[in-house]
Amino acid sequence: MPFFPQSRYQCGPAALATTLWHSGVDVDAEALAPAVYLPAREGSLQPELLAAVRRHGRVPYRIPGTVDALLEELTAGRPVLVLQNQGFAALPRWHYAVVVAYDAHRGQWVLRSGTEGRRRESHALFLLGWSRAERWAIVTARPGELPATVTPDEALRALADAEGLLRPEAALAAWETSLSRWPDHGDIRFATANAARRAGRDGRAATLYRQLLDQRPAHLAARNNYADLLLARGCHHRASTVIAPALEQSPASPGLGAALRDTARAISRAAASAPAISPCPLGD
Amino acid sequence: MITSRAVMLVHALVLVCATTFSSAQAAVFSTADYLSQADHGTHLARVEAALARDDVRQQLVALGVSPAQAEARIAALSPAELQQLNARMDEMPAGGILGLIGAVFIVLLILEIVGVTDVFSKI
């Protein structure tokens, strides 16, 4: 793994270049600086690092702030970008570094840090600085790859935040990977179905919506999107059967209520103007 | 200031109307909409996000980012991140130091480890 030494104040771009390079992005610290460096603050902010990862087609996952999680990611061969506070609460000194190994024999963490390609920090010193930065740690992953220690809710959030910047096929691959790890997570199944539709995989999307509605018939957003998909494929009858139960329930938000009404209206209009395609190409 | 705020509000409302009308044709409820409805109605969240976006852009430019870069940077932020930056950009950690640990810090750490002080557990 290459090392990108930082120039003045620019540990953010340098650390980011290291993890992005590891996930297959050919970029150096100098090229990343305009995307994350904040001149008047002489540093980089955490959300801006996440945004820069997304801009390069990778997904930034926050991993749990535990030593076990760090070790597990390192074992899986993934470097971890961490924030450290090498000062005090009243006089913070914020620094980004990349953890690349743990030397169990000497009880030391090995980091790409600042101008040092292999900085060693004792476990106590490392833990202190990391703990004072709320143990913030991220892994940057290719869309179809999922870090070992990520929680399902974090995967959901990270992918939802990144998918607008991913190509539809890459976004679908990312969601499918999460779904295969957590097949019972309803929201991940819903998101995967939406991504399948966006990628033009209507058959896959229909299957996922149907499975979700079998498990959770009251998932109104899934009901809405499945009905919209059926309508788009000319299956008016099926669409109106799917949407009907949703119109009797109270939606969780005004936005969802409006979407359900729009979908129901569009189904009625389509049913009045053209016959449904039979049999429905999306199957049962 | 009040005028620029009013202009932003109008922009936000135009955005909401535009997205509302476009949703009349394709009423798909996106994953992002679905996840944001936990706290707010989707349309309210969109107004807030649009306002936060303008404020964050101005703050980035004021802190030395070129307007074109600021635009590209905020385009990759999530609505929650935009609101977080808008609310507390000044207090958020800006990692940037060289990473060489200061001598004072080392001395305090040694004192802490040998039990002379408990400065770390207090802060």
Side-chain angles (χ1 to χ4, degrees), chain A residues 3-245:
Chain A
F3 169 56
F4 301 91
Q6 84 173 84
S7 47
R8 200 169 164 74
Y9 305 130
Q10 308 221 342
C11 60
L16 203 53
T18 303
T19 56
L20 279 177
W21 185 90
H22 186 266
S23 49
V25 181
D26 188 9
V27 67
D28 61 19
E30 207 176 320
L32 284 166
V36 296
Y37 185 60
L38 209 45
R41 292 286 307 274
E42 297 180 341
S44 306
L45 306 173
Q46 291 148 289
E48 292 222 272
L49 293 195
L50 304 181
V53 173
R54 296 176 196 131
R55 286 172 69 185
H56 284 88
R58 295 297 180 265
V59 184
Y61 291 98
R62 182 159 180 190
I63 64 165
T66 63
V67 169
D68 284 350
L70 277 186
L71 291 173
E72 205 175 328
E73 294 302 343
L74 293 176
T75 306
R78 295 194 183 90
V80 182
L81 196 163
V82 294
L83 179 65
Q84 298 174 297
N85 180 1
Q86 298 181 345
F88 307 95
L91 192 69
R93 291 163 51 84
W94 302 108
H95 177 65
Y96 293 107
V98 180
V99 184
V100 293
Y102 180 68
D103 179 344
H105 186 61
R106 295 199 217 164
Q108 289 176 332
W109 294 90
V110 183
L111 303 102
R112 301 265 191 279
S113 179
T115 53
E116 297 169 81
R118 276 189 87 76
R119 175 189 174 81
R120 287 174 166 271
E121 285 184 13
S122 74
H123 179 66
L125 187 65
F126 171 76
L127 206 59
L128 194 66
W130 188 40
S131 299
R132 289 149 160 250
E134 295 177 2
R135 297 198 178 192
W136 191 78
I138 62 161
V139 167
T140 64
R142 288 182 173 86
E145 147 192 276
L146 193 59
T149 62
V150 161
T151 63
D153 288 346
E154 166 59 15
L156 178 68
R157 194 201 57 75
L159 278 177
D161 289 349
E163 83 170 315
L165 285 109
L166 298 176
R167 287 177 299 106
E169 302 75 31
L172 177 58
W175 283 114
E176 291 281 11
T177 307
S178 285
L179 182 62
S180 54
R181 189 178 295 177
W182 299 291
D184 297 328
H185 199 293
D187 288 345
I188 290 177
R189 189 168 294 269
F190 173 66
T192 309
N194 294 341
R197 174 139 190 224
R198 193 172 147 238
R201 301 270 314 278
D202 287 357
R204 176 66 179 151
T207 303
L208 290 166
Y209 286 131
R210 221 162 24 233
Q211 289 168 341
L212 178 55
L213 289 172
D214 284 346
Q215 292 164 8
R216 293 171 57 183
H219 199 301
L220 300 188
R223 209 161 267 290
N224 177 76
N225 291 1
Y226 185 30
D228 186 84
L229 171 61
L230 289 166
L231 173 65
R233 296 299 298 264
C235 313
H236 315 160
H237 294 311
R238 291 272 308 287
S240 94
T241 317
V242 168
I243 198 85

Side-chain angles (χ1 to χ4, degrees), chain A residues 240-270:
Chain A
S240 94
T241 317
V242 168
I243 198 85
L247 301 173
E248 291 154 20
Q249 304 194 25
S250 46
S253 71
L256 180 53
L260 285 166
R261 283 191 301 277
D262 287 346
T263 306
R265 263 198 300 273
I267 294 169
S268 310
R269 265 200 309 272

Side-chain angles (χ1 to χ4, degrees), chain B residues 1 11 19 29 42 50 63 85 106 108 112 114:
Chain B
M1 193 62 202
H11 282 170
T19 50
F29 202 64
T42 307
L63 292 171
L85 283 172
I106 294 283
L108 285 169
E112 171 88 10
V114 300

Side-chain angles (χ1 to χ4, degrees), chain A residues 41 45-46 92 94, chain B residues 59 84-94:
Chain A
R41 292 286 307 274
L45 306 173
Q46 291 148 289
W94 302 108
Chain B
Q59 288 184 63
Q84 186 192 12
L85 283 172
N86 188 28
R88 41 183 298 265
M89 192 187 292
D90 293 345
E91 309 141 39
M92 290 174 70

